[in-house]
Amino acid sequence: MKLDKATIAKLAEHLENCELNAQDTLKITDDHPDMDWDDAYLIQEEIKRRKIARGTKIAGLKAGLTSFAKMKQMGVETPCFGFVTDYGCVPDGGEVKVSELIHPKVEPEIVFVMKHALKGPGCHIGAVLAATDFIMPGIEVIDSRYRDFKFDLKSVIADNTSAARFVVGGQIKAPADVDMRTLGVVMEKNGEVVSLGAGAAVLGHPATAIAMLANHLGARGQEIPAGAMILSGGVTEAVAVAAGDNVTLRVQHLGSVSLKFV
Ligand code: OOG
Ligand code: MG
């Protein structure tokens, strides 16, 4: 830990205000070049604490930057972890108000819901599959609080991994009933295909992202609780959206979900 408590609190307040007021900012490592990974996650934890104190419920967890397409698009090499909120949850077919966001993008994700708790270290795909209740498709709407989506990994972790809105739904499947690596993923914007992929784009197997999250939490004395919903990370590059856009995600065997941007 390189930053003091007061600086962590100040940066959390600043980033959360940027989120709540839909205002962008420069990446925080510009002013705090020696902040470390612990600082980054402590700032994210402080944002979570502020939200919970105000009555927000944590709706789930997320892994990000888990596909090579996403890592390449954002210029980073390691996955990151964050959380999603109750107010970020949009019903299937529902509306996302663009005026509440800075520069939203959509990404196709495979979403896990856990039957059992998972605790690292030593968590692997087998443990994840055994602990998973079901998977379903989801669209994550990310909205980096950083100007022009330009950040480094520490800055984006502090900014709760750009989490903004999400929709989940479609059809659920038990992990034993699908090969997640070969699951086809098709995302459409206004009826046109804008991105295509397969589950294996996420770290070879999307369950790897969940294992990494369990190991990340385990190193901090925490765990993935039973019942948790987890977004495993964008399968393809994220796609920018604007008011008037309709986005549909179709995932093989898992039906579809959609969002309207207004
Ligand atoms: C960081 C968040 C990435 C994902 O699924 O890869 C993420 C970003 O790209 O702004 O949620
Ligand atoms: Mg994502």
Side-chain angles (χ1 to χ4, degrees):
M1 195 172 141
K2 295 273 168 43
L3 301 181
D4 58 32
K5 266 191 134 177
T7 307
I8 286 170
K10 189 190 77 181
L11 290 170
E13 181 178 7
H14 173 61
L15 286 172
E16 204 208 0
N17 283 341
C18 285
E19 180 215 330
L20 298 175
N21 302 324
Q23 267 167 1
D24 67 7
T25 185
L26 293 176
K27 65 181 196 302
I28 58 174
T29 47
D30 288 354
D31 282 338
H32 302 278
D34 17 281
M35 68 180 265
D36 64 18
W37 302 106
D38 284 341
D39 294 325
Y41 278 106
L42 285 169
I43 294 166
Q44 185 194 111
E45 277 295 312
E46 173 61 13
I47 291 174
K48 190 196 271 178
R49 191 201 61 76
R50 293 172 63 87
K51 290 188 184 305
I52 291 171
R54 227 183 287 117
T56 296
K57 299 280 181 258
I58 304 308
L61 304 174
K62 61 169 281 190
L65 305 172
T66 52
S67 66
F68 292 113
K70 284 279 324 182
M71 290 188 222
K72 190 167 159 225
Q73 182 180 33
M74 305 323 300
V76 301
E77 280 154 24
T78 328
C80 55
F81 307 102
F83 64 89
V84 294
T85 61
D86 55 358
Y87 66 84
C89 181
V90 182
D92 192 4
E95 295 184 344
V96 174
K97 291 200 188 77
V98 170
S99 62
E100 294 175 357
L101 303 171
I102 303 164
H103 42 202
K105 294 184 186 180
V106 289
E107 41 187 32
E109 306 219 8
I110 294 168
V111 178
F112 287 66
V113 174
M114 308 310 294
K115 186 163 41 187
H116 305 297
L118 262 186
K119 187 163 186 159
C123 192
H124 49 75
I125 294 185
V128 173
L129 296 180
T132 300
D133 196 351
F134 58 85
I135 59 167
M136 60 184 164
I139 301 170
E140 183 176 27
V141 182
I142 54 170
D143 192 38
S144 176
R145 268 54 70 170
Y146 298 119
R147 196 151 304 158
D148 304 322
F149 257 91
K150 291 218 168 70
F151 49 67
D152 50 30
L153 199 54
K154 287 172 190 163
S155 293
V156 76
I157 289 167
D159 182 32
N160 189 25
T161 65
S162 312
R165 303 285 184 269
F166 67 97
V167 58
V168 291
Q171 284 192 266
I172 65 169
K173 281 275 191 251
D177 294 340
V178 284
D179 180 350
M180 282 182 230
R181 296 168 300 179
T182 54
L183 271 188
V185 171
V186 178
M187 193 167 65
E188 297 168 4
K189 184 166 93 171
N190 305 324
E192 261 180 53
V193 174
V194 286
S195 72
L196 282 170
V202 174
L203 297 168
H205 192 304
T208 310
I210 312 304
M212 283 183 82
L213 171 62
N215 292 331
H216 163 83
L217 292 175
R220 291 167 165 72
Q222 300 166 17
E223 63 180 22
I224 298 174
M229 181 196 75
I230 310 160
L231 280 61
S232 62
V235 174
T236 68
E237 281 186 6
V239 175
V241 283
D245 286 340
N246 285 287
V247 176
T248 298
L249 169 65
R250 305 178 196 282
V251 180
Q252 190 179 16
H253 307 307
L254 300 180
S256 61
V257 284
S258 62
L259 284 178
K260 237 189 285 242
F261 290 82
V262 297

